[in-house]
Amino acid sequence: YVCSTWGNNHFKTFDGDIYQFPGICEYNFVSDCREVYKEFSVDIQRALNSNGHPEIQYILVKIKDIRILLKPNLVVVDGRIVKTPYYASGFLIESGEIYTKIYAKLGMVLMWNQQDALMVELDNKFNNHTCGLCGDYNGIPIYNEFINGGDYNSITYGNLQKISKPTAKCEDPDETQALPSCNKHRDECQRLLTSPAFADCRLRLNLEMYIQACMQDKCACNGKEDSFCLCSTISEYSRQCSHAGGRPGEWRTQNFC
């Protein structure tokens, strides 16, 4: 199972919920939450880039007692800059033109496109043992993340995952902010995500969730037609489709994405 985050602050938990959380502090994305000894943790920090779009500035990964810092085109292991591929006992780090990947023997694969999109796949031995923005991996959508005794909204939930740092200068996003209704973009998003290139994806993924995410993207971009607004959710749909065993066709064209 995979948990991912992409584009305009979208998150998809291991259990399949998709929500938006626009926090710009450092947050626990996923960690092993069995009591005493955490086998791993992944923290992320987003910030707005010069175009005003959210990007992941860095990712902090702990595997057993080793600390790995990922930034665009930079990998630091226990304080030393390393060249990839980097082999160590228990994990391997690779980076290509687009993706940086970490394979950990304990049952985790992490993949980052060095911009907005991060995906973590976990062995099912971690079922019901994770916490963070990715949820508890108990196989039941919504349960525990957003209901846990009260009706959480996703902003409250996200704020709870903040890594407290005395020096951090960042505001928590406002919990009372409601998402705008973006229905006027439904037709366009549906057309993009049901194009022939994605014929093999229809039965593998929950299309409606990605249509909703695409609509939120279009709303947030207020008519700006840059590639981030249009392409980030479609890229994610394509990645998730491949991950589910599908074969997305070539959907990018010269003038689109």
Side-chain angles (χ1 to χ4, degrees), residues 216-237:
Q216 293 294 342
D217 291 349
K218 292 287 293 177
C219 258
C221 286
N222 278 335
K224 286 206 303 267
E225 291 291 312
D226 63 9
S227 66
F228 182 91
C229 298
L230 279 171
C231 309
S232 56
T233 289
I234 300 169
S235 307
E236 177 68 9
Y237 187 67

Side-chain angles (χ1 to χ4, degrees), residues 42-102:
V42 178
D43 297 344
I44 60 171
Q45 165 91 48
R46 267 201 169 88
L48 297 178
N49 66 16
S50 53
N51 301 325
H53 297 312
E55 269 188 354
I56 297 171
Q57 281 193 309
Y58 64 80
I59 300 169
L60 274 177
V61 182
K62 263 180 89 169
I63 296 172
K64 307 274 180 113
D65 298 318
I66 295 169
R67 297 174 67 88
I68 303 165
L69 168 69
L70 302 180
K71 287 184 158 185
N73 304 315
L74 179 70
V75 178
V76 180
V77 177
D78 281 341
R80 290 203 340 268
I81 294 178
V82 298
K83 280 199 164 64
T84 54
Y86 179 84
Y87 300 90
S89 81
F91 66 91
L92 154 67
I93 307 173
E94 290 180 342
S95 44
E97 259 171 60
I98 302 178
Y99 290 101
T100 296
K101 297 179 181 177
I102 299 179

Side-chain angles (χ1 to χ4, degrees), residues 132-164:
L133 293 165
C134 286
D136 61 4
Y137 195 8
N138 69 354
I140 311 168
I142 303 191
Y143 192 70
N144 277 359
E145 287 81 28
F146 301 123
I147 309 183
N148 206 347
D151 188 6
Y152 272 7
N153 73 24
S154 60
I155 309 252
T156 314
Y157 180 71
N159 285 337
L160 287 171
Q161 317 307 322
K162 184 158 91 171
I163 306 289
S164 56

